[in-house]
């Protein structure tokens, strides 16, 4: 690769600009403010904890639904649960997500999933299951708050729910109870996938927030570079 | 004729309309034919709803008709149901009827037709079926939608135990569709080309979330399934009851049974309905409901409780009079007052119900049992005196009340625990003593049994002991703190009266008196054996004096323990027998009983002694038998050290068992019959004190085995080892009789010879006269030439030495020695040179003649005379005849090698010699190796060395081994 004179001048100009803006980069202003790093780490930890918690809850709930939903090889096509936020994404797309979009998608997904989960809790027949679901909802609410905290620390605004798009847990008249169970199954499965994805998201974010050149780049990018 | 024609015309005129009517009836449709039949489907209940009317009823009044309904499936000829429906009908009335299909109606086309008939006796002419209506077809498959698969019924709710039929419509002509009930595949039958069914019988309740039916359709399609909700059967209402506690509110309760809640069905609801007031109340709780009593003095109530869910209703009725269902509230303000040792007063109150009185039940409990029970009538305040209670006792007093006007139910109990106060002990202590005479007095130990709770009347704090000397008026008191039950006193040899009392916080018990006599009067009373049983020992005795005030039987529960556990039993004066029982009695333990007679002066004197076992056991061990007096025909067995007293049963005798090679038992022994006997021959000794036994009539020089074991009334002792006895030979005894006197005779002769040796010597070996000391010599000296002398051998100078070779195999010389001599000539030529006079030895006093005495060990002699000859270290071990084993050999070799090279001193070697030179040798023995024994003067005897054979062959001791082995090595070496 050969560098031309124009390129050298461009690189020099870019470097000067970076140096000019360095005092304004929050990541480098470490005079007492630990930055978003700890809260990202906490969010990551909470995600892993919820993963573990959901594993137990899903087992209980799927047994409550009965076979075939609690069978390990039950893997129906995801046709009914269209309203659920989808966690699966193409790897290239996932890699190309910027932090704001990444966090926004997480926040929106958990907002919807939490709402569905509360509906699930209302339908549960046994007190023990209701207790477990309520406990998980509380934890998920905590995760949502944690993500909001990270977004606020990074200066991202929280996504505003559109009026009238609040998901409800009211099966339509054509919706059979069997399909409702299928939706419950997919809700838990999607939640599990989201927690797995979030762990990866926050891990990626955590690495980015480390005090390195990458962190500088990140912050510069965040400030519009 | 005209009249006839007129009549005929009239008749015809009358008949004509009638005929016209009849024609009209037969040609027109019958009036009951159903019209406007409409059929619709209710998918929820799988019902066909029919609707029709009967327009042309002949009468305006309401008529009873029977409608026959025919239902076909798929095609009209496939009739699946025919039934009658009886109802009343008016002209133009629209009728409704419903039929529940087993098969979901979506899965097949259904056809319906109906007809009717009059069911009224007033119109017999209409008693025939109308015509069938036309077939009405019902098919909803076209309205299902565009999916390719449908499973019916959807989310059906049934009761547990119902039969349910499922069907599916597959428009994709797919045949390999599997359906699963809770993960288990079900059997599917084809109903029509696109329709299949499966049937579930007696479905059970699985979960509130329903039973899943899932069909595995083509990949990629939305999974098809449905849920069957199986509800538990709503149970009959049980235990429905209403009561009031205050005549203001009724409380109704019932047993609700199991909950029938499902995801699509809430829990069953309960409704209370009162017929007289026509009031209704939906109950909030599953098993109880309150009802406000009306203020209009309604006395009678008729309640209907209805339980209901989506599938079933249950009702139960209850009619009662309000005042007959009064259960008062729990009494309040319950107190216990004036509690003393036997009495207490209890007071309480009840909640008033109008002006009614109350019936109250009072109970007094002790240790969980009802002691007193009574009923009292009262208005508002209750009071009851509890009496006849025991002092210092825990009680529970409680009360409950019922409505006085009409008994319905008791209220709950209210009560309290309390303890009565103590009182002075009621009875005297049961006291006994153990008296042991010690120098100058007695050692008296007093024992007493604690008072029973009944007699103690409280907690005993201490025991008072008052000791009064009856001979020398004096008294002393002492107190023993409870719960001690004994004390020891040391008294002088006087008579004493001892009074023992127990005290609690409220007083002292009556005294128990014992008198210790100055004279113990111990009598030598023979011990009598008694036989115990599992129930105890039955003892009886003979009264000694007629004025006994009682008897005491004394024994120890643990006779083997130092503390013994003294027990006693006091009996009345008229008793001469008793049974002693104790939980401490154990089989195989000997218990000794002493029976005392208590006189009017409270003095106890020993009456009888008894001993026995509650159960005799087999002897625990066998005697150690000593053998004695062994002869060729008999021996004596003795076991005098064997203690019969320490055995777990009375020893009744002994069995002596004898084993021998003889087939017949010796006299005195009998052949045993029992298979468990240790030997074939046994002798029974019936006297336990006989502890010796002589086995006689034995064979000389024979081996016998003998074993002695005791026996009790139960069994023999344990098996033990036999003692082997071999009788001596008969001639040995005789030999001893002969040889012993002979030895004594020889010894006697030897002693006599020793003391008379001089005499013997003089007689047998007189002294050879010495020519130098001869009197003849003195005579010659004095009278003849002084040159005349006697030739002295010392003056002889030998000019030649002749060595005489002894022939081999000489009896006086062992072969080895002879050989060594030959070898010695070549290996040790210097040996003899020492003995020969040489000119290089000017100090030699003179020529010498050396004589060898071959009766002595030549090799030793060589050693002794010729100094140290080392054993070569490579001497073959096999040549060391004294060494027995290779180990010894190696050790010895090592040792010998070291010793022979430098450690064996000449002195040590010389210790093996016994110098028998007639004349003293010059130098000491330490110089032997370096200075061979060269006599200063030649003598007549060669140095003689005697090595005792016994010593040479004896095993080497720690000190002697080196020298003796070295010596023998040399000997062996020269072989």
């Amino acid at each position: 690769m050969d560098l031309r004179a124009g390129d050298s001048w461009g690189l020099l100009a870019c470097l000067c600009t970076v140096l000019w803006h360095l005092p304004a980069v929050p990541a480098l202003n470490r005079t007492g403010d630990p930055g978003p790093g700890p809260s990202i780490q906490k969010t990551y930890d909470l995600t892993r904890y919820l993963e573990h918690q959901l594993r137990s809850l899903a087992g209980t709930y799927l047994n409550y639904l009965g076979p075939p939903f609690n069978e390990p090889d039950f893997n129906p096509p995801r046709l009914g649960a269209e309203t659920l936020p989808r966690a699966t994404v193409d790897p290239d797309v996932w890699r190309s997500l910027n932090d704001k979009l990444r966090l926004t998608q997480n926040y929106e997904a958990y907002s919807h999933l939490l709402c569905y989960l509360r509906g699930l809790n209302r339908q549960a027949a046994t007190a023990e299951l209701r207790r477990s679901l309520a406990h998980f909802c509380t934890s998920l609410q905590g995760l949502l708050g944690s993500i909001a905290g990270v977004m606020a620390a990074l200066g991202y605004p929280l996504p505003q729910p559109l009026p009238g798009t609040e998901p409800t847990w009211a099966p339509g008249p054509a919706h059979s109870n069997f399909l409702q169970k299928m939706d419950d199954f997919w809700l838990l499965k999607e939640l599990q996938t989201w927690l797995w994805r979030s762990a990866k998201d926050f891990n990626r974010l955590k690495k980015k927030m480390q005090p390195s050149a990458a962190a500088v780049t990140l912050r510069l990018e965040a400030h519009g570079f | 004729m005209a009249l006839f024609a007129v009549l005929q015309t009239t008749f015809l005129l009358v008949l004509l309309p009638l005929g016209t009517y009849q024609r009209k009836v037969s040609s027109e449709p019958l009036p009951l034919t159903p019209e406007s039949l409409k059929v619709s489907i209710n998918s929820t209940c799988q019902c066909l709803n029919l609707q029709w009317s009967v327009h042309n009823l002949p009468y305006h009044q309401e008529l009873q008709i029977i409608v026959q309904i025919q239902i076909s499936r798929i095609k009209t000829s496939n009739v699946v149901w025919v039934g009658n429906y009886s109802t009343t009908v008016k002209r133009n009335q629209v009728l409704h009827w419903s039929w529940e299909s087993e098969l979901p109606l979506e899965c097949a086309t259904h056809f319906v037709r109906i007809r009717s008939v009059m069911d009224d006796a007033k119109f017999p002419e209409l008693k025939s079926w109308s015509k069938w209506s036309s077939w009405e077809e019902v098919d909803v498959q076209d309205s299902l939608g565009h999916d390719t698969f449908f499973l019916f019924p959807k989310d059906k709710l049934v009761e547990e135990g119902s039969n349910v039929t499922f069907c599916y419509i597959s428009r994709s002509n797919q045949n390999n569709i599997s359906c699963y009930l809770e993960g288990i595949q079900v059997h599917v039958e084809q109903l029509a080309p696109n329709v299949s069914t499966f049937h579930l019988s007696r479905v059970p309740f699985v979960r509130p979330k329903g039973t899943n039916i899932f069909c595995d359709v083509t990949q990629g399609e939305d999974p098809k399934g449905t849920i069957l909700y199986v509800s538990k059967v709503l149970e009959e209402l049980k235990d429905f009851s209403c009561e009031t506690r205050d005549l203001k509110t009724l409380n109704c309760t019932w047993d609700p049974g199991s909950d029938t809640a499902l995801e699509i069905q809430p829990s069953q609801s309960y409704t209370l309905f009162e017929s007289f007031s026509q009031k209704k109340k939906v109950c909030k709780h599953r098993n109880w409901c309150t009802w406000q009593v009306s203020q209009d003095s309604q006395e009678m109530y008729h309640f209907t409780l209805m339980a209901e869910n989506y599938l079933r209703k249950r009702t139960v009725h209850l009619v009662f009079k309000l005042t007959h269902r009064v259960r008062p509230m729990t009494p309040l303000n319950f107190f216990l007052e004036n509690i003393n040792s036997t009495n207490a007063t209890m007071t309480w109150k009840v909640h008033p119900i109008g002006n009614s009185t109350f019936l109250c039940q009072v109970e007094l409990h002790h240790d969980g049992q009802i002691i007193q029970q009574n009923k009292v009538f009262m208005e508002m305040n209750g009071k009851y005196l509890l009496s006849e209670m025991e002092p210092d006792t825990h009680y529970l007093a409680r009360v409950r009340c019922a409505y006085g006007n009409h008994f319905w139910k008791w209220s709950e109990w209210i009560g309290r625990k309390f303890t009565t106060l103590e009182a002075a002990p009621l009875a005297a202590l049961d006291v006994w003593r153990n008296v042991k005479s010690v120098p100058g007095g007695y050692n008296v130990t007093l024992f007493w049994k604690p008072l029973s709770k009944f007699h103690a009347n409280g907690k005993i704090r201490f025991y008072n002991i008052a000791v009064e000397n009856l001979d020398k008026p004096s008294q002393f008191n002492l107190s023993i703190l409870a719960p001690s039950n004994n004390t020891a006193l040391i008294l002088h040899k006087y008579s004493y009266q001892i009074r023992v009392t127990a005290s609690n916080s409220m007083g002292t018990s009556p005294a128990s008196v014992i008198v210790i006599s100055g004279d113990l009067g111990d009598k030598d009373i023979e011990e009598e054996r008694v036989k115990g049983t599992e129930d105890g020992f039955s003892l009886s005795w003979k009264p000694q004096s007629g004025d006994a005030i009682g008897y005491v039987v004394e024994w120890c529960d643990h006779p083997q323990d130092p503390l013994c556990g003294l027990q006693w039993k006091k009996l009345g004066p008229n008793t001469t027998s008793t049974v002693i029982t104790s939980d401490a009695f154990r089989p195989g333990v000997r218990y000794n009983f002493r029976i005392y007679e208590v006189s009017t002066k409270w003095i106890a004197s020993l009456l009888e002694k008894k001993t026995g076992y509650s159960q005799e056991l087999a002897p625990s061990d066998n005697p150690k038998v000593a053998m004695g007096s062994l002869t060729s025909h008999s021996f004596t067995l003795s076991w005098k050290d064997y203690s019969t007293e320490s055995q777990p049963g009375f020893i009744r005798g002994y069995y002596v068992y004898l084993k021998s090679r003889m087939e017949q038992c010796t006299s005195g022994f009998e052949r045993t019959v029992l298979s468990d006997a240790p030997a074939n021959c046994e002798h029974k000794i019936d006297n336990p004190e006989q502890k010796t036994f002589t086995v006689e009539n034995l064979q000389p020089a024979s081996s016998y085995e003998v074993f002695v074991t005791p026996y009790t009334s139960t069994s023999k002792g344990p098996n033990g080892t036999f003692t082997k006895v071999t009788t001596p030979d008969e001639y040995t005894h005789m030999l001893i009789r002969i040889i012993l006197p002979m030895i004594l005779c020889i010894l006697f002769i030897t002693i006599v010879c020793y003391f008379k040796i001089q005499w013997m010597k003089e007689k047998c070996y007189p002294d050879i006269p010495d020519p130098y000391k001869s009197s003849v010599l003195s005579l010659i000296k004095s009278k003849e030439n002084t040159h005349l002398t006697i030739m002295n051998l010392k003056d002889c100078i030998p000019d030649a030495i002749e060595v005489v070779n002894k022939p081999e195999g000489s009896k006086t010389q062992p072969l080895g020695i002879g050989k060594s001599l030959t070898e010695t000539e070549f290996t040790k030529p210097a040996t003899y040179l020492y003995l020969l006079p040489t000119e290089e030895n000017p100090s030699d006093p003179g020529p010498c003649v050396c004589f060898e005495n071959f009766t002595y060990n030549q090799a030793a002699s060589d050693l002794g005379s010729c100094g140290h000859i080392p054993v070569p270290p490579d001497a073959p071990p096999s040549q060391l005849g004294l060494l027995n084993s290779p180990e010894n050999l190696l050790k010895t070799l090592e040792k010998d090698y070291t010793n022979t090279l430098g450690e064996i001193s000449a002195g040590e070697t010389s210790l093996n010699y016994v110098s028998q030179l007639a004349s003293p040798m010059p130098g000491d023995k330490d110089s032997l190796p370096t200075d061979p024994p060269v006599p200063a003067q030649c003598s007549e005897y060669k140095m003689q060395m005697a090595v005792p054979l016994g010593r040479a062959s004896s095993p080497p001791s720690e000190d002697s081994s080196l020298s003796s082995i070295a010596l023998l090595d040399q000997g062996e070496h020269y072989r």
Side-chain angles (χ1 to χ4, degrees), chain B residues 183-288:
Chain B
I184 298 167
Q185 191 170 358
V186 293
H187 175 67
V188 178
E189 291 176 354
Q190 192 157 17
L191 185 68
N194 291 332
V195 180
S196 298
T197 63
F198 54 92
H199 190 77
L200 304 181
S201 300
R202 293 192 294 178
V203 289
F205 168 81
V206 176
R207 66 178 75 80
K209 201 76 176 169
T211 307
N212 302 321
I213 293 101
F214 172 68
C215 288
D216 195 5
V217 292
T218 314
Q219 288 292 325
E221 277 203 29
D222 205 358
K224 302 297 180 185
T226 187
I227 296 175
L228 176 67
Y229 291 97
V230 182
S231 166
K232 291 177 183 172
V233 179
L234 185 62
E235 295 174 30
E236 291 281 357
L237 292 162
K238 287 175 281 189
D239 304 333
F240 179 47
S241 171
C242 296
E243 66 183 22
T244 180
R245 312 202 79 159
D246 53 5
L247 293 178
K248 293 174 183 170
T249 306
L250 272 166
N251 186 33
C252 297
T253 57
W254 59 90
D255 179 1
S258 55
D259 191 3
T260 64
L262 295 170
E263 187 185 23
I264 60 165
Q265 172 184 266
S267 295
Q268 63 266 35
S269 64
Y270 294 92
T271 308
L272 208 53
F273 176 72
E274 204 285 305
S275 304
F276 296 114
S277 60
Q278 288 292 306
K279 287 181 181 174
K280 186 178 179 182
K281 183 178 182 183
V282 177
C283 300
K284 292 179 183 175
H285 305 281
R286 288 186 67 229
N287 60 344
W288 63 275

Side-chain angles (χ1 to χ4, degrees), chain B residues 321-466:
Chain B
K321 192 175 181 181
L322 182 64
T323 52
H324 290 182
R325 292 286 187 275
V326 181
R327 182 187 186 194
M329 281 193 272
T330 309
L332 68 160
N333 294 345
F334 180 87
F335 296 109
L336 285 160
E337 299 164 350
N338 306 325
I339 299 172
N340 59 32
S341 59
T342 54
N343 298 329
T345 304
M346 53 189 283
T347 60
W348 68 96
K349 285 185 178 181
V350 289
H351 295 277
I353 304 175
N355 296 322
S356 172
T357 57
F358 293 91
L359 170 68
C360 294
Q361 187 180 36
V362 176
E363 278 185 2
L364 183 67
H365 288 247
H366 171 61
D367 279 349
Q369 292 185 335
I370 299 173
I371 305 298
Q372 296 177 24
Q373 193 177 45
N374 210 346
K375 290 188 178 70
V376 288
F377 278 96
M378 55 169 285
E379 288 187 347
M380 194 175 158
N381 297 312
K383 187 174 184 180
Y384 184 78
L385 176 66
L386 297 167
S387 59
E388 298 176 354
M389 292 185 287
E390 291 174 10
D392 189 40
T393 307
H394 302 294
Y395 291 99
L396 166 69
R398 62 180 193 173
V399 64
R400 62 181 179 179
C401 296
Y403 192 55
N405 295 351
H406 183 274
F407 180 84
W408 162 239
K409 278 181 183 174
W410 291 110
S411 69
E412 292 84 6
W413 289 103
I414 185 170
R416 191 162 294 174
K417 290 178 180 175
F418 68 102
T419 304
T420 49
L421 299 180
E422 291 185 356
L426 206 61
L429 288 163
D430 185 357
V431 180
W432 187 236
R433 87 293 179 274
N434 182 21
V435 182
K436 284 182 184 172
S437 185
V438 292
Y442 313 112
N443 200 349
V444 179
T445 308
L446 292 172
F447 297 91
W448 55 88
K449 294 175 183 173
L451 288 171
S452 66
K453 185 168 173 51
F454 174 75
H455 289 126
N457 278 348
K459 184 181 178 184
I460 299 298
R461 311 280 169 160
F462 50 87
Y463 297 96
N464 310 303
I465 295 163

Side-chain angles (χ1 to χ4, degrees), chain B residues 95-238:
Chain B
L95 294 172
H96 296 272
W97 185 78
S98 184
W99 176 72
E100 187 180 347
S101 172
E102 185 188 347
L103 181 76
L105 297 168
E106 294 89 343
C107 287
T109 306
H110 286 77
F111 301 91
V112 182
R113 68 175 184 177
I114 57 175
R115 63 179 181 176
S116 54
V117 67
M118 186 73 75
D119 185 23
D120 203 325
K122 292 184 287 185
F123 307 101
E125 69 279 7
L126 296 176
K127 193 83 175 166
S128 61
W129 285 105
S130 71
K131 290 169 80 177
W132 283 105
S133 68
S134 57
W135 284 104
E136 196 66 28
E137 182 181 345
V138 191
D139 186 2
V140 293
Q141 286 197 14
D142 293 338
S143 61
L144 290 176
H146 300 293
D147 283 354
T148 55
F149 187 88
F150 300 93
L151 178 62
F152 297 103
K154 283 184 176 178
D155 305 336
K156 188 173 176 63
L157 173 65
V158 295
E159 271 190 342
E160 202 172 18
S162 304
N163 300 328
V164 188
T165 301
F166 287 84
C167 65
Y168 63 79
I169 303 163
S170 175
R171 292 173 176 166
S172 62
N173 295 324
Q174 193 182 350
N175 293 326
N176 56 345
I177 294 173
S178 302
C179 291
Y180 302 89
L181 170 71
E182 289 288 306
I184 298 167
Q185 191 170 358
V186 293
H187 175 67
V188 178
E189 291 176 354
Q190 192 157 17
L191 185 68
N194 291 332
V195 180
S196 298
T197 63
F198 54 92
H199 190 77
L200 304 181
S201 300
R202 293 192 294 178
V203 289
F205 168 81
V206 176
R207 66 178 75 80
K209 201 76 176 169
T211 307
N212 302 321
I213 293 101
F214 172 68
C215 288
D216 195 5
V217 292
T218 314
Q219 288 292 325
E221 277 203 29
D222 205 358
K224 302 297 180 185
T226 187
I227 296 175
L228 176 67
Y229 291 97
V230 182
S231 166
K232 291 177 183 172
V233 179
L234 185 62
E235 295 174 30
E236 291 281 357
L237 292 162
K238 287 175 281 189

Side-chain angles (χ1 to χ4, degrees), chain B residues 525-728:
Chain B
I525 296 171
E526 189 177 350
E527 198 171 59
E528 183 188 341
R529 288 184 177 180
V530 289
K531 186 172 173 62
T533 64
E534 289 180 356
D535 299 328
F537 291 87
S538 181
L539 305 178
S540 61
W541 58 88
K542 291 174 185 172
Q544 201 170 43
S545 61
D547 59 346
I549 61 166
Y551 299 93
V552 178
V553 181
E554 172 194 284
W555 75 94
C556 285
D557 264 351
H558 310 288
Q560 291 150 342
D561 291 352
L563 292 176
C564 159
L566 184 71
Q567 303 292 319
W568 69 93
K569 184 177 181 181
K570 288 189 173 176
L571 299 151
N574 299 323
T575 310
T576 56
S577 66
T578 185
V579 176
I580 302 296
T581 59
S582 171
D583 293 336
F585 287 158
R586 299 281 177 267
V589 178
R590 184 185 283 198
Y591 295 97
N592 300 311
F593 299 93
R594 296 159 73 91
I595 300 163
Y596 293 88
E597 186 182 68
V598 182
S599 68
T600 51
K601 295 179 179 177
W602 305 97
I603 299 171
S605 54
L606 184 61
L607 199 62
E608 288 184 22
K609 288 182 182 176
K610 313 266 183 186
T611 185
Y613 296 87
S614 63
Q615 184 189 341
E616 285 192 64
L617 302 178
S620 58
D621 55 352
N622 295 317
K624 289 181 180 174
V625 178
M627 198 75 61
S629 306
L630 177 65
T631 67
S632 55
H633 291 285
S634 68
F635 58 84
T636 302
L637 302 170
S638 173
W639 57 92
K640 293 192 175 178
D641 294 336
Y642 185 67
S643 169
T644 56
E645 298 297 313
S646 60
Q647 294 300 317
F650 292 118
I651 299 296
R652 306 294 168 109
Y654 305 92
Y655 281 103
V656 181
Y657 289 99
L658 188 69
K659 280 187 193 173
S660 69
R661 293 179 182 174
M662 306 293 291
E663 291 187 357
Q664 296 294 325
C665 296
T666 59
S667 64
F669 283 82
E670 293 176 356
R671 184 163 286 279
T672 52
V673 183
L674 297 174
S675 60
D676 62 339
N680 291 336
C681 299
E682 74 173 14
H683 175 80
K684 187 176 183 181
I685 300 171
D686 292 330
N687 181 10
E689 300 306 321
Q690 180 188 331
K691 296 182 179 178
T692 58
F693 179 70
T694 303
V695 184
E696 293 174 328
N697 301 316
L698 304 175
Q699 295 290 329
S702 300
S703 287
Y704 293 92
E705 291 183 60
V706 68
F707 171 58
V708 179
T709 184
Y711 68 92
T712 63
S713 64
T714 310
S715 177
K716 288 178 284 193
N719 288 332
T721 53
F722 279 73
T723 307
K724 289 185 179 177
V725 184
T726 304
T727 51

Side-chain angles (χ1 to χ4, degrees), chain B residues 493-510:
Chain B
K493 280 208 170 178
Y494 298 112
S495 296
Y496 292 92
Q497 185 188 65
I498 302 170
R499 301 164 66 87
V500 185
T501 56
S503 297
N504 63 12
S505 63
M506 300 300 284
T508 304
S509 71

